[in-house]
């Protein structure tokens, strides 16, 4: 040993070498690897090109990603192709070279079926994102299926309707691991304005059904107030001017007002053509009640809202906007 040698410093260098990095260096290396993965993740598969999925896939193309997609409906495929989305012959073909797979499907049974179909064709390490609105149990089953294939996964349902899908202003409620969220967030940000990590597997779906239960209940409350105001001789505008600036203020009133006039952009001014169809609201309310029953939660207003939207749909208004529930409360169908 030379007089100037320092055995402690040699040991420290050996302990924190490139082959055996210290905690800070290891974290930095992990961050670099994640950044490299995110930069490389440009090939995206999109399964489900309906009213929501089609515009979402189109926004990914606008953001510079290569998108290969599939849907069973030819009209949906044609519309997506006009936005620059590549159309594959099958779901398996769409996902074969994808770094990220996004699905947007009607219900849990469809998600599980499609994932079972495509997982053998995806590369291990592919990130799978489901943006459908489905039950929490099915979402967690999908996560488990992806894990068995060696793939990360996110449940990432959305809020914002067709308008938000077209404008890329959706809110994503995301469930999954922190590392999967870190990989998926930059892609979701190309399709939405607000991306919220809600916790582990299935928690995105949990947040979505809680949010939409609030929405369904609040729309009924706002509609009841307008019906009462009509009977009392109070104009729509007068009620809006008061409630929108006082304690009755809520999104269902100020953004999505169920009567024509006060909010020019609301569906009430466009013959209740759906931004969010009544049938979809009923679906989400049913999911909320199934979840409430499964965990023993008391949701009497949610249950009442589900019943009222059930009647609204039975009247033949399932294809109209959910704000058309005001017709049921007036005691007559849409004029």
């Amino acid at each position: 040993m030379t007089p100037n040698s320092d055995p402690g410093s040699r040991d420290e260098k050996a302990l924190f070498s490139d082959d055996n990095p210290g905690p800070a260096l290891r974290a930095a290396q992990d961050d670099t690897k994640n950044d490299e993965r995110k930069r490389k993740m440009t090939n995206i598969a999109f399964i489900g090109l309906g009213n929501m999925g089609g515009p979402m896939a189109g926004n990914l193309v606008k953001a510079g990603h290569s998108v290969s997609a599939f849907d069973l409906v030819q009209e949906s495929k044609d519309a997506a192709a006009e936005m620059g989305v590549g159309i594959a012959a099958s779901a398996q073909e769409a996902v074969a070279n994808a770094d990220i797979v996004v699905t947007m499907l009607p219900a849990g049974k469809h998600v599980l079926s499609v994932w079972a179909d495509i997982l053998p064709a995806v590369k291990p390490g592919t990130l799978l994102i489901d943006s459908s609105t489905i039950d929490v149990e099915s979402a967690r089953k999908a996560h488990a299926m992806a894990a068995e294939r060696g793939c990360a996964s996110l449940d990432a349902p959305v809020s914002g309707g067709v308008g938000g899908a077209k404008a890329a202003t959706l809110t994503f409620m995301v469930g999954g691991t922190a590392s999967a969220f870190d990989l998926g967030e930059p892609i979701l940000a190309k399709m939405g304005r607000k991306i919220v990590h809600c916790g582990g597997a299935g928690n995105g779906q949990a947040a979505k059904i809680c949010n939409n239960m609030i929405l369904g209940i609040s729309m009924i409350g706002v509609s009841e107030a307008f019906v009462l105001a009509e009977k009392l001789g109070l104009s729509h505008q007068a009620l809006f001017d008061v409630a929108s600036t006082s304690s009755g203020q809520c999104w269902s009133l100020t953004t999505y007002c169920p009567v024509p006039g006060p909010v020019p952009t609301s569906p009430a001014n466009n013959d209740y053509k759906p931004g969010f169809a009544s049938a979809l609201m009923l679906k989400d309310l049913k999911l909320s009640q199934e979840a409430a029953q499964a965990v023993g939660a008391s949701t009497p207003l949610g249950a009442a809202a589900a019943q009222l939207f059930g009647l609204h749909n039975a009247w033949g208004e399932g294809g109209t906007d959910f704000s058309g529930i005001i017709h049921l409360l007036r005691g007559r169908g849409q004029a």
Side-chain angles (χ1 to χ4, degrees), residues 220 223-224 226-228 230-231 308 311-312 315 317 323-335:
I220 290 169
S223 296
E224 285 184 346
F226 275 107
V227 171
L228 177 58
E230 291 167 358
K231 297 287 188 181
L308 287 169
L311 289 172
H312 188 235
W315 271 18
E317 292 201 34
S323 60
I325 189 73
I326 194 169
H327 303 136
L328 178 72
L329 299 171
R330 287 176 177 142
R332 60 181 185 274
Q334 184 175 358

Side-chain angles (χ1 to χ4, degrees), residues 31 36 38 74 96 193 268 281 285 299 326:
D31 287 343
E36 289 174 353
K38 285 186 279 187
Q74 187 62 45
R193 178 178 292 164
M281 174 54 76
L285 288 168
T299 57
I326 194 169

Side-chain angles (χ1 to χ4, degrees), residues 6-212:
D6 182 350
S9 64
R10 271 209 312 275
D11 290 344
E12 187 174 307
K13 289 177 183 177
L15 182 62
F16 297 137
S17 67
D18 288 342
D19 293 330
N20 188 24
L25 180 58
R26 188 180 300 115
Q29 289 174 342
D30 288 344
D31 287 343
T32 300
K33 289 177 182 177
N34 249 357
D35 289 342
E36 289 174 353
R37 284 192 69 191
K38 285 186 279 187
R39 282 196 296 272
K40 292 177 181 177
M41 282 185 165
T42 57
N43 295 322
I44 301 172
F46 209 109
I47 312 300
L49 299 170
N51 291 333
M52 296 292 291
M56 291 166 67
N59 284 326
L60 291 173
V61 173
K62 288 179 184 178
H65 295 288
S66 173
V67 180
S68 179
F70 181 73
D71 194 283
L72 294 174
V73 179
Q74 187 62 45
E75 183 180 356
S76 297
K77 291 188 284 188
D78 292 343
E82 290 180 4
M83 292 183 278
V85 177
I87 304 301
S90 67
Q92 296 96 322
E93 179 181 299
V95 305
N97 296 309
D99 302 301
I100 296 177
V101 177
V102 183
T103 53
M104 188 59 140
L105 301 164
K109 63 182 180 181
H110 304 112
V111 173
L112 295 177
S113 175
V114 167
W115 280 38
D117 190 38
I118 64 175
L119 275 168
V122 304
K123 301 177 295 186
T126 299
L127 173 64
L128 285 89
I129 303 173
D130 180 50
S131 286
S132 318
T133 297
I134 62 174
D135 60 285
V136 175
E137 181 181 359
S138 292
R140 289 174 176 161
K141 286 180 180 178
H143 279 277
M145 291 166 63
E148 288 179 8
R149 177 62 176 162
C151 295
S153 57
L154 297 169
D155 56 286
V158 302
S159 178
V162 175
K166 291 179 178 178
T169 57
L170 295 167
T171 293
F172 283 89
M173 295 146 273
V174 188
T177 64
S179 59
F181 178 77
D182 187 46
L183 291 172
E185 185 180 17
I187 298 301
L188 298 178
K190 302 298 193 306
M191 300 180 285
R193 178 178 292 164
K194 188 172 182 64
I195 321 296
V196 181
H197 189 205
C198 300
N203 279 16
Q205 298 294 348
K208 172 65 184 285
I209 61 175
C210 289
N211 177 76
N212 277 21

Side-chain angles (χ1 to χ4, degrees), residues 269-292:
N269 296 279
N270 192 26
D271 200 29
Y272 294 90
K273 290 180 181 176
F276 186 59
S278 181
L280 295 177
M281 174 54 76
L282 177 60
K283 168 195 166 185
D284 291 355
L285 288 168
K286 285 181 175 179
L287 288 174
S288 76
Q289 294 313 291
E290 290 170 5

